Amino acid sequence: MTELTVAALQLALNAPDAATNIAAVTTLVEQAAAKGAQVVLPPELFSGAYFCQQEDQELFALAHPLDQDPAVAAMRKLARGLRIAIPVSFFERDGHHFYNTIAMVDPDGEVQGIYRKSHIPDGPGYEEKFYFRPGNTGFKVWDVFGARIGVGICWDQWYPECARAMALMGAQVLFYPTAIGTEPQDAELDTSRMWRRAMQGHAVSNCMPVVAANRIGIEANGQSFYGHSFITNEWGDFQAEYGAEETGVLVATFDLATARINRAGMGFFRDRRPQLYTRLVEDK
């Protein structure tokens, strides 16, 4: 298969119970599948409000093991019924450890494996280091519908190393579930343009499509999530995009064979000089 149809979901996820949020995502997943989407991307941690705005140990109760998480269970059933793939973001409990995790659900409703978020932010409104250990899986890619996809999680998307690593592992499309919005410490700082430009850069420098799904709406402490979900082609051009308020499904179809030829023609991977990049892995 040379074509792949992808979707990004955008919606508010501030209902007080997980079942309502999961049901809202389910409705949009069904709409995406009806439009022909094969890989459908919900936002980050979509079973509830973004709880990392503050440090509260009671919120560790929201975490579940992979085989007990309600969002993963619901999306497995949905993927199997619709014959689609879904990268499912959830708060994982693994023994005494807690992670921000993707369960990659395939069209049979099986979990191909997990990816644990590598880059963990720590700042006003995004106190994730209190809740999550840095991921220990390394970057991951997945084979679905004859294509290979890479999935990062939110803060990962600001790092070109993450995108390039997945590309070097054979990814043909990059997916980023996200929860990002206003900066509580600076009401004048709007990162939505930078956020999209960073990922457009990944699309251009790796010559492959990028799919980003973000939430919308006002949540705890008045923090507003700014949406602007999008899908770009391998040139970084928007194929579908939302603003800050729309609820719905973005869909685009890509000819991956053409993208592969374009990628070869640009020469970015041919002209790499890994022997010059050792500074990138020095921890200082």
Side-chain angles (χ1 to χ4, degrees), residues 5 7-9 22 25-30 32-33 37-43 46 66 71-90 101-114 142-145 149 151 175 177 213:
T5 301
L9 311 183
I22 293 170
V25 169
T26 295
T27 296
L28 293 188
V29 170
E30 291 171 339
Q38 296 161 288
V39 184
V40 179
L41 182 69
F46 63 81
L66 172 65
V72 173
M75 293 302 110
R76 289 185 65 187
K77 181 178 179 180
L78 198 57
R80 183 168 57 250
L82 297 172
R83 303 298 301 167
I84 61 173
I86 311 173
V88 182
S89 173
F90 74 106
T101 300
I102 286 290
M104 186 64 219
V105 176
D106 70 16
D108 294 322
E110 299 299 324
V111 177
Q112 287 187 319
I114 62 170
W142 318 98
D143 293 325
V144 291
F145 296 105
I149 67 171
V151 184
F175 290 79

Side-chain angles (χ1 to χ4, degrees), residues 3 9 14 31-32 44 48 55 57 75 83-84 91 123 134 150 157 178 191 209 213-214 221-222 235 243 277 281:
E3 287 194 344
L9 311 183
N14 50 15
Q31 292 178 17
E44 180 185 20
E55 297 183 3
Q57 67 181 24
M75 293 302 110
R83 303 298 301 167
I84 61 173
F91 186 13
Q157 68 208 350
T178 300
T191 63
N214 192 19
N221 304 321
W235 305 124
Y277 306 154
V281 295

Side-chain angles (χ1 to χ4, degrees), residues 12 26 63 65 91 97 114 116 119 134 149 154 199 211 224 228 236 245-246 279-280:
T26 295
F91 186 13
H97 298 157
I114 62 170
R116 290 169 171 162
H119 302 94
I149 67 171
C154 200
M199 285 178 284
V211 184
S224 177
H228 283 93
E245 298 180 355
E246 297 94 331
R279 183 66 182 89
L280 297 178

Side-chain angles (χ1 to χ4, degrees), residues 125-142:
Y126 304 93
E127 305 281 353
E128 293 195 16
K129 279 190 168 67
F130 181 75
Y131 297 99
F132 310 130
R133 287 169 62 92
N136 58 4
T137 60
F139 302 121
K140 303 294 283 288
V141 294
W142 318 98

Side-chain angles (χ1 to χ4, degrees), residues 175-186:
F175 290 79
Y176 293 102
T178 300
I180 191 170
T182 52
E183 304 294 332
Q185 81 283 7
D186 186 350

